[in-house]
Amino acid sequence: NATFVLRLCRYLRLTRLLKAIRVVKLMTYSATFDEALERSAGLTLVFMFGKLMLVSFVPTHFMACLFWWVSTSSAESYGDSWAAQQINRTDRGFTYSGDDSKPPAPFELYMSTLYFAVVTMTTVGYGDVTPTNSAEVQVTACLVACAAIIFPLIMGTVN
């Protein structure tokens, strides 16, 4: 039993050593990447743009999914919801599929909620996608408050 414990301790030390080696290797790759970025202005611009897209898409996607979830789950408790209006609407005007007789596809609904999240986050708020019940209004108020903090942070990440 004592030899088993000793072997286990050696194994754990070995795994820690291997992890440390990986961290050092990663730091070396990071330093090489930073040097390549410093040498190329075009690469720096592409990297900054990619970072901006990634950092701005994640909270926007989260906000869109949260609005969709609240809209679909609050319809039974709070009455009519934005999602129910979009699904049952036949005069949507512009549609991605071009056919107003069918309910919108899930991609169309996601794009609408993503659009809502973008205009909410940037505080533009066109008003064509609006919350319709009290649960959606409460979540939208929280999203606006969060966006007032998150959006400047996103813009501040771009040097």
Side-chain angles (χ1 to χ4, degrees):
N1 195 13
T3 58
F4 175 73
V5 172
L6 184 61
R7 285 183 183 174
L8 184 64
C9 289
R10 286 181 185 167
Y11 176 74
L12 290 175
R13 272 192 265 157
L14 180 64
T15 56
R16 279 193 234 143
L17 179 64
L18 291 175
K19 188 183 241 183
I21 291 171
R22 279 186 268 155
V23 168
V24 169
K25 204 182 264 189
L26 184 63
M27 290 172 58
T28 305
Y29 290 143
S30 175
T32 305
F33 184 70
D34 287 343
E35 290 172 9
L37 278 178
E38 288 175 4
R39 281 187 256 132
S40 172
L43 188 59
T44 303
L45 183 64
V46 168
F47 182 72
M48 283 177 34
F49 181 74
K51 181 179 174 184
L52 174 66
M53 290 291 103
L54 181 67
V55 168
S56 62
F57 179 75
V58 170
T60 306
H61 170 74
F62 175 74
M63 287 181 175
C65 290
L66 181 64
F67 185 68
W68 173 254
W69 178 74
V70 167
S71 182
T72 55
S73 64
S74 68
E76 292 178 13
S77 303
Y78 293 93
D80 202 15
S81 71
W82 171 83
Q85 287 180 354
Q86 291 296 314
I87 291 170
N88 297 327
R89 203 169 155 191
T90 57
D91 61 337
R92 289 190 307 277
F94 172 75
T95 60
Y96 297 98
S97 61
D99 185 5
D100 284 341
S101 63
K102 296 189 294 188
F107 177 74
E108 295 175 28
L109 294 171
Y110 174 74
M111 290 306 293
S112 294
T113 56
L114 190 66
Y115 165 77
F116 169 79
V118 168
V119 298
T120 301
M121 193 174 215
T122 58
T123 66
V124 172
Y126 292 122
D128 50 352
V129 177
T130 57
T132 57
N133 63 35
S134 61
E136 291 174 353
V137 170
Q138 292 167 5
V139 167
T140 301
C142 291
L143 290 179
V144 169
C146 290
I149 297 168
I150 293 171
F151 190 68
L153 290 174
I154 291 171
M155 293 300 115
T157 60
V158 180
N159 297 333

